[in-house]
Amino acid sequence: MEGDKQTLLTCNPRHGNGYESHCYPGPTVGSDRRKNRISHLGGLALGCVLVIALILNASYIPRLLASSQDSRSAQRLPLAAQNILRQCAGLHAVAGPPSNFQERERSDRFEPGTRPTLLKNATLWTGARNGSEIVYGDILLDNGLVRGIGYIPETLYADRDGDVDIVDAHGAWVTPGLVDIHTHLGLISAPVTAGTLDFSSSHGPILPWLRSIDGFNTHDEGFALAVAGGVTSVQVLPGSENIIGGQAFMVKLRKTSQRSPTSMLIEPPYTLNGTIPDPNWPGRWRHLKQACGESTRGYGNRMDNIWALRSAYAEARKVRDAQDAFCVKAEAGLWNEIEGQSYPEDLRWEALVDVLRGRVKVSTHCYEEVDLDAMVRLTQEFKFPIASFHHAHEAYLVPEMLKNTYGGIPTMALFADSSRFKREAYRGSRFAPQILADHGFPVAMKSDHPVLISRYLAFEAQQAHYNGLPPHLALAAITSVPAAAAGLSHRIGILREGADADVVLWDSHPLQLGATPRKVWIDGILQVGNDTDHVLIGPGKTAQEWREAPEVPDFTAEREAALRWDGLPPLASNRTVAGRVAFQNVREVFLRQGGDEAGVVQEFGIDGQAGTTHVIVDRGRVSCVGPVCEGEGRNAEVTVDLRGGTIAPGMMAFGSALGIEEIQSEPSTGDGTQFDPLSKDVPKLMGDVGGLVRVDDALIFGTRNALVAHRAGVTYATTSFARSPVFLRDKFMGGISATFRTGAPHALERTAIIKPLTALHVSIGRAPPISYTPQAVSLSTEIATLRHLLLDGEDARTQTGEWFKKAADGSIPFVVDVSSADIMATLIRLKSEVEEKRGTYMRMVFSRATEAHLLAEEIAHAGIGVILTPSRQFPWVWDDRRILPGPPLTNNTALSTLLKHGVTVGLGTWEACHVQSTRFDVGWVGFPVRPCHTPTNNCCTQAILESNNWINKRQAYELVSTNLEKLLDLEGWIGDMGDLVAYEGGSGLDFTSKPVAVVSPARQLVEIL
């Protein structure tokens, strides 16, 4: 009967370079002939299965042989058998490069027409041998690969007839391109707009099916800036608001000739867009982001979140087990038992199935011990490895627990100093990188761009080194370690033959503060440092000290205290001395000067003065400077050896919430929500239509951020309620700021509050893509409101009327938080209008001031001061988009341009947790952009602007001390009675020193820190 007929497959094996088999339909037979041929056809079918399985996975031959011997019945081989067996064999594939990967002749990313490049006479940090290998010689880049390193015989390039670009490094450092393992580049694209926020999804807690590449914006201006910092490869992670945010991808920051997101990927998984794996290669690594802790609060508490993870992995395990059971039968040739079934798969869970099979590099966002422990238990329950823990602020407190992570010790991807911005980061320690490295953990430093800017990834490694991480591990932390954590150490993060030609030529040792790439190649193609750009990079860094890693202080005692006190060591000074204190071996002395010539003066260490000297302090005031003071030091109550250190003015913080909150994201630790008069009516009970408030009413003393800042040499802070971090913007009214002492114990201490009513603050700008306020008003509304208030629009008997009148007549500085040059131009015209109508002179200051360089001449002419906040600009939002990035992209910066035009400039900091790095920020901007003309060490930190004016160390200190005092009318409140800070070991503006004492004339004492 026709219904009894069926088609069987006949398979003929053929052997060649590999194994191939071909199955085709055999003859159609009826049931009356089946009994006579069943044994023969069954044998053919099983033989076909055996050959196919042998081809795809030879390890299963014994099982297949046994199966064929035991089989006593015919197996109906489905038409899709070959595809099924390919899928089943793929379950056992191991991710990683083929064994002959380094033998490739051309990179898969090679762009035709790319000329070879030979870098000669370089100091090559290769990343090999745990970062300890340094090679002195040459490196040849060709076909997108490193083709030779060390000694390069001319035979490798002599026959190219001059078709080789030759660069003489003159002994400079060359490293692999930097690898940033945690960024959101392309997902939060600069300048940030509502249309470029593809960060976290709002469609559920568990989203392993989402892919960051599907939201990757190739027009992100952050790409070029990151490359300017030496970053060539990044991991693009989904956000952390989801418990599983989706799949991540490794990307090269070079736009290809194809200009597509996909073409920027490094080894995209074969599953992307249905590509077919090369049977001669192992599988490629995939990447996934998961998170825990506070960030995922939108989907429940910690217990909810871990349950969500367990549920998701349980579903994935069901799919995996179903696949395994199905393939056991298929590979055994038991087709009848799976007849009518298809290969078990579910697009929602396939990424997690691969996690369980160990083929995904999982990045896990976790901070606290409780969350880290939960994740370790999760890996043990479901038997999958975690490639890297990110942030991990308390990991240094529980290293032994983290070693229990299934599959081996994970990499720790850390910040250098970003702590206390939320509760789970409160116990973070800047010594965590060294502590974890000492416990055997691979340590990577990362940016979390745009939380920190990827361009400054090297600065994270520099700070880690400053705080104790050995130089070779600090460099590895931004190259070979993150590359290995991503499963790509065979091609990026290292210099060796066969690796990708991603190379950075530096102007100094990469761990020196302000180290800048001279040239950057990605895939052998020059991205930064084209000679035709005529940008001078590091010409003043010629001394040998720039060629070496900086000698850093010993922080053993501080590191041990962090561990002993569970991350919260005491921050009070060790002792105070009201009598005489003698400082010995002082190399540089900078003192405050009051009066008409208020500023900073250098008393020792200027040109021609070599060696060290003595400084005597009596009752908190410097009484003697010079060799003649040695005798007076014999009667000192305390003697402090600064070992070639510095005494300089205490610095001031501006722009952060220092002193009005303990933890940024915890409302219960700060001032709380204030009324915005442009969004809703202020309660009549306040008696003030503007709802103007004073910071001195809300000051909190003894916060950890303030005390850490004090111990870092930042002894003063001016704080307002105006907040403009990253791409957020707060309300119009910023209140009346207060200036206070960061180390004061409480508000009633005699010198705690320096000036309770310092300046009036407002924020002006276009509506941001995200705002704290429910609905931001228009820019024109803000300007109209400001005009109304400055021209006596409100009753002077109200707080708003009184203080805006004082701002209009110049009785108090008027600080406007503004970014756009167009808005600044409007404000300059408004200032002129108010002054003309009132017959007064306003003391206007622009803070933030990202685009101020575009109006430098006009700002100077209008007598307006500028506080650059932060000191290094980035195009966060539309109002910030026109920046002057500085070397290696431009010769000038916003700072140099403003100073060249005679504008009084100060520097500020956004985040309270970063205030402790103020001296490094100012030291960075003080590095040379033009050659020095004197042979002294002092020259190493001098910069000549386009107008040939110097930014020397004295002027650098002024940027964060007396210049801010001038702009905020604090000269009579601080002046020559202001604090001085003693630094042990070197300059207060680099990595060689640490603060050890605060000299306080106003308090008539010296604090020994």
Side-chain angles (χ1 to χ4, degrees):
M1 294 176 60
E2 189 71 18
D4 292 331
K5 297 178 181 180
Q6 69 177 33
T7 300
L8 299 181
L9 296 181
T10 301
C11 301
N12 290 331
R14 177 170 64 84
H15 300 279
N17 293 333
Y19 290 98
E20 295 183 350
S21 64
H22 300 278
C23 299
Y24 51 87
T28 302
V29 296
S31 60
D32 55 339
R33 303 176 60 187
R34 185 177 299 124
K35 291 182 180 178
N36 295 329
R37 303 189 61 180
I38 188 71
S39 177
H40 174 66
L41 293 176
L44 283 176
L46 289 175
C48 178
V49 170
L50 175 62
V51 172
I52 294 172
L54 177 64
I55 297 166
L56 297 173
N57 198 326
S59 65
Y60 289 87
I61 292 176
R63 184 192 300 171
L64 292 172
L65 286 173
S67 176
S68 64
Q69 293 170 358
D70 294 342
S71 177
R72 295 293 183 268
S73 60
Q75 299 293 323
R76 290 187 291 273
L77 199 64
L79 291 173
Q82 196 168 20
N83 185 55
I84 289 172
L85 289 172
R86 182 185 295 111
Q87 287 178 297
C88 290
L91 299 184
H92 312 289
V94 178
S99 58
N100 63 345
F101 182 82
Q102 302 303 327
E103 299 173 10
R104 58 186 178 147
E105 293 296 321
R106 173 172 291 184
S107 169
D108 55 314
R109 301 180 52 81
F110 174 71
E111 295 275 4
T114 303
R115 291 165 54 92
T117 298
L118 177 66
L119 276 76
K120 300 177 65 69
N121 305 316
T123 303
L124 298 155
W125 185 88
T126 68
R129 297 193 175 95
N130 199 29
S132 63
E133 181 181 84
I134 298 174
V135 175
Y136 300 92
D138 308 337
I139 182 169
L140 177 63
L141 314 179
D142 194 11
N143 288 332
L145 304 175
V146 175
R147 300 306 304 271
I149 189 168
Y151 170 69
I152 308 295
E154 289 190 16
T155 55
L156 287 181
Y157 60 90
D159 61 345
R160 304 297 288 267
D161 296 328
D163 189 34
V164 179
D165 295 328
I166 298 179
V167 177
D168 194 334
H170 298 289
W173 284 89
V174 170
T175 69
L178 308 189
V179 181
D180 195 343
I181 198 172
H182 189 135
T183 80
H184 306 290
L185 279 159
L187 300 184
I188 305 177
S189 300
V192 179
T193 61
T196 58
L197 284 173
D198 293 292
F199 177 54
S200 293
S201 172
S202 59
H203 293 287
I206 304 293
L207 303 170
W209 47 86
L210 298 187
R211 308 181 300 185
S212 66
I213 189 63
D214 296 327
F216 187 71
N217 181 0
T218 59
H219 302 298
D220 188 343
E221 293 183 18
F223 294 172
L225 293 170
V227 175
V231 178
T232 58
S233 300
V234 301
Q235 181 169 212
V236 179
L237 293 164
S240 56
E241 281 78 8
N242 308 106
I243 301 169
I244 297 181
Q247 299 165 47
F249 291 83
M250 292 295 296
V251 171
K252 291 273 190 89
L253 294 180
R254 176 182 67 82
K255 288 189 177 182
T256 68
S257 56
Q258 190 182 110
R259 296 183 175 274
S260 69
T262 303
S263 65
M264 296 174 69
L265 297 178
I266 310 172
E267 293 190 2
Y270 291 121
T271 54
L272 188 69
N273 298 332
T275 52
I276 299 175
D278 184 334
N280 298 314
W281 278 32
R284 288 176 170 177
W285 284 109
R286 303 178 68 183
H287 302 85
L288 185 86
K289 166 74 175 293
Q290 60 186 27
C292 60
E294 294 180 26
S295 294
T296 58
R297 283 285 180 174
Y299 296 103
N301 61 29
R302 283 178 165 82
M303 295 180 287
D304 293 315
N305 291 347
I306 294 301
W307 170 245
L309 281 167
R310 294 181 68 213
S311 298
Y313 278 108
E315 289 298 319
R317 184 166 57 186
K318 290 178 185 177
V319 176
R320 182 201 63 184
D321 292 348
Q323 290 175 348
D324 289 346
F326 179 88
C327 287
V328 164
K329 295 175 182 178
E331 291 170 337
L334 303 176
W335 297 105
N336 291 352
E337 297 187 22
I338 56 176
E339 185 177 4
Q341 301 178 31
S342 59
Y343 177 78
E345 56 186 342
D346 189 326
L347 196 59
R348 296 172 303 168
W349 305 115
E350 59 87 21
L352 293 190
V353 171
D354 263 1
V355 171
L356 297 179
R357 296 192 184 281
R359 299 191 295 214
V360 179
K361 294 293 187 180
V362 178
S363 297
T364 300
H365 160 122
C366 280
Y367 286 75
E368 288 191 270
E369 295 172 356
V370 59
D371 300 317
L372 295 166
D373 183 59
M375 281 296 176
V376 169
R377 284 187 278 106
L378 186 74
T379 69
Q380 292 291 350
E381 179 179 2
F382 291 95
K383 307 302 180 189
F384 70 89
I386 287 177
S388 52
F389 277 106
H390 293 231
H391 308 312
H393 279 61
E394 293 188 8
Y396 73 100
L397 297 173
V398 288
E400 296 307 313
M401 178 269 285
L402 288 166
K403 291 180 180 179
N404 294 324
T405 304
Y406 180 84
I409 295 177
T411 294
M412 294 295 157
L414 309 173
F415 289 129
D417 74 340
S418 297
S419 299
R420 299 175 297 280
F421 56 92
K422 54 181 175 177
R423 198 201 65 82
E424 61 186 1
Y426 192 62
R427 295 175 184 268
S429 172
R430 58 194 177 103
F431 306 115
Q434 182 187 355
I435 293 171
L436 288 165
D438 288 347
H439 280 84
F441 285 85
V443 172
M445 308 308 296
K446 44 81 177 168
S447 71
D448 195 5
H449 179 99
V451 174
L452 302 179
I453 303 306
S454 188
R455 178 183 181 183
Y456 307 124
L457 179 64
F459 184 47
E460 294 298 291
Q462 292 162 9
Q463 292 176 90
H465 172 52
Y466 173 72
N467 291 311
L469 192 65
H472 66 290
L473 295 183
L475 285 176
I478 51 175
T479 50
S480 56
V481 169
L488 293 170
S489 58
H490 54 285
R491 64 184 303 165
I492 63 173
I494 195 166
L495 295 180
R496 65 181 173 201
E497 292 185 20
D500 286 9
D502 302 342
V503 178
V504 183
L505 171 65
W506 298 87
D507 70 346
S508 57
H509 191 287
L511 295 180
Q512 286 283 354
L513 181 62
T516 302
R518 283 181 175 164
K519 294 181 182 292
V520 180
W521 291 265
I522 300 180
D523 301 320
I525 304 172
L526 187 66
Q527 305 295 303
V528 169
N530 194 315
D531 293 341
T532 60
D533 294 337
H534 303 296
V535 178
L536 295 179
I537 304 167
K541 300 179 182 180
T542 56
Q544 182 59 33
E545 63 189 50
W546 290 102
R547 299 291 179 92
E548 302 169 354
E551 294 186 12
V552 298
D554 182 4
F555 288 107
T556 301
E558 293 89 339
R559 185 172 62 252
E560 292 175 349
L563 290 170
R564 184 168 63 254
W565 291 92
D566 208 24
L568 300 176
L571 297 174
S573 57
N574 288 324
R575 63 178 295 192
T576 59
V577 182
R580 174 170 291 183
V581 177
F583 292 95
Q584 297 178 343
N585 295 316
V586 186
R587 188 174 301 278
E588 296 176 336
V589 180
F590 298 88
L591 301 180
R592 293 173 174 272
Q593 177 175 283
D596 295 336
E597 300 295 327
V600 175
V601 295
Q602 186 167 4
E603 293 289 340
F604 189 84
I606 57 178
D607 294 350
Q609 288 180 311
T612 60
T613 192
H614 300 264
V615 176
I616 303 299
V617 175
D618 286 304
R619 295 183 61 80
R621 301 205 66 169
V622 173
S623 59
C624 185
V625 177
V628 297
C629 308
E630 183 176 6
E632 298 184 32
R634 298 190 183 98
N635 300 322
E637 185 176 337
V638 173
T639 299
V640 179
D641 187 351
L642 292 188
R643 297 181 173 86
T646 299
I647 294 178
M651 299 180 186
M652 177 179 289
F654 177 91
S656 74
L658 202 68
I660 56 174
E661 65 184 17
E662 177 74 27
I663 303 173
Q664 180 179 326
S665 64
E666 288 290 334
S668 62
T669 71
D671 182 55
T673 303
Q674 299 167 6
F675 295 103
D676 184 358
L678 295 187
S679 297
K680 58 183 178 180
D681 291 339
V682 176
K684 292 182 179 180
L685 187 62
M686 283 192 70
D688 181 35
V689 68
L692 189 66
V693 289
R694 297 164 42 162
V695 166
D696 69 312
D697 291 335
L699 280 177
I700 307 171
F701 286 87
T703 66
R704 294 197 71 80
N705 279 325
L707 295 177
V708 167
H710 181 74
R711 296 181 68 88
V714 183
T715 61
Y716 301 105
T718 296
T719 298
S720 75
F721 291 121
R723 298 290 308 282
S724 295
V726 194
F727 47 87
L728 307 173
R729 186 160 64 81
D730 208 352
K731 59 192 180 305
F732 171 75
M733 289 285 196
I736 303 174
S737 58
T739 302
F740 62 97
R741 193 181 300 279
T742 56
H746 54 76
L748 300 181
E749 196 257 356
R750 183 173 60 86
T751 61
I753 300 178
I754 304 299
K755 189 177 183 181
L757 303 171
T758 301
L760 178 62
H761 296 253
V762 297
S763 295
I764 304 288
R766 293 177 178 85
I770 295 178
S771 176
Y772 292 127
T773 55
Q775 184 176 0
V777 300
S778 70
L779 169 62
S780 56
T781 299
E782 291 178 337
I783 296 296
T785 302
L786 193 57
R787 179 180 288 109
H788 169 78
L789 293 173
L790 291 172
L791 293 174
D792 285 342
E794 292 299 320
D795 191 333
R797 292 173 296 179
T798 65
Q799 287 290 296
T800 298
E802 176 188 358
W803 288 101
F804 272 89
K805 180 179 179 181
K806 289 183 177 182
D809 64 24
S811 299
I812 189 171
F814 184 52
V815 181
V816 184
D817 188 279
V818 57
S819 297
S820 167
D822 297 311
I823 303 175
M824 291 181 208
T826 298
L827 291 169
I828 291 173
R829 289 191 294 111
L830 179 59
K831 177 178 183 289
S832 178
E833 177 186 347
V834 171
E835 290 174 342
E836 181 178 350
K837 290 182 178 180
R838 296 180 62 98
T840 59
Y841 179 78
M842 294 181 66
R843 304 185 62 168
M844 184 176 282
V845 177
F846 292 153
S847 66
R848 185 157 174 161
T850 310
E851 295 186 352
H853 59 277
L854 297 174
L855 294 174
E857 183 176 351
E858 291 78 6
I859 289 172
H861 181 73
I864 297 173
V866 170
I867 304 177
L868 294 173
T869 311
S871 58
R872 295 181 297 279
Q873 277 68 48
F874 182 80
W876 286 276
V877 295
W878 197 254
D879 280 356
D880 298 297
R881 71 190 185 280
R882 296 172 292 188
I883 66 169
L884 261 182
L889 300 179
T890 64
N891 278 309
N892 292 319
T893 64
L895 174 65
S896 67
T897 302
L898 291 166
L899 291 178
K900 169 186 172 181
H901 286 87
V903 178
T904 301
V905 183
L907 300 181
T909 305
W910 269 348
E911 303 293 340
C913 62
H914 294 155
V915 170
Q916 63 177 313
S917 299
T918 297
R919 66 191 185 96
F920 300 143
D921 289 339
V922 70
W924 196 334
V925 301
F927 282 133
V929 295
R930 287 289 185 273
C932 294
H933 300 301
T934 58
T936 65
N937 289 334
N938 186 50
C939 181
C940 292
T941 56
Q942 290 178 320
I944 304 178
L945 306 180
E946 290 293 308
S947 60
N948 290 327
N949 292 320
W950 293 95
I951 298 179
N952 52 38
K953 289 185 179 181
R954 175 186 64 80
Q955 292 166 319
Y957 281 115
E958 288 179 338
L959 293 172
V960 288
S961 59
T962 55
N963 279 13
L964 288 172
E965 293 165 24
K966 291 176 183 177
L967 294 172
L968 299 172
D969 193 24
L970 292 166
E971 293 169 292
W973 300 78
I974 298 177
D976 58 2
M977 293 294 286
D979 290 344
L980 301 173
V981 177
Y983 299 89
E984 177 188 272
S987 169
L989 302 177
D990 61 31
F991 292 134
T992 61
S993 69
K994 68 177 180 180
V996 294
V998 175
V999 178
S1000 185
R1003 292 183 293 160
Q1004 300 180 349
L1005 54 81
V1006 174
E1007 282 184 73
I1008 306 298
L1009 301 176

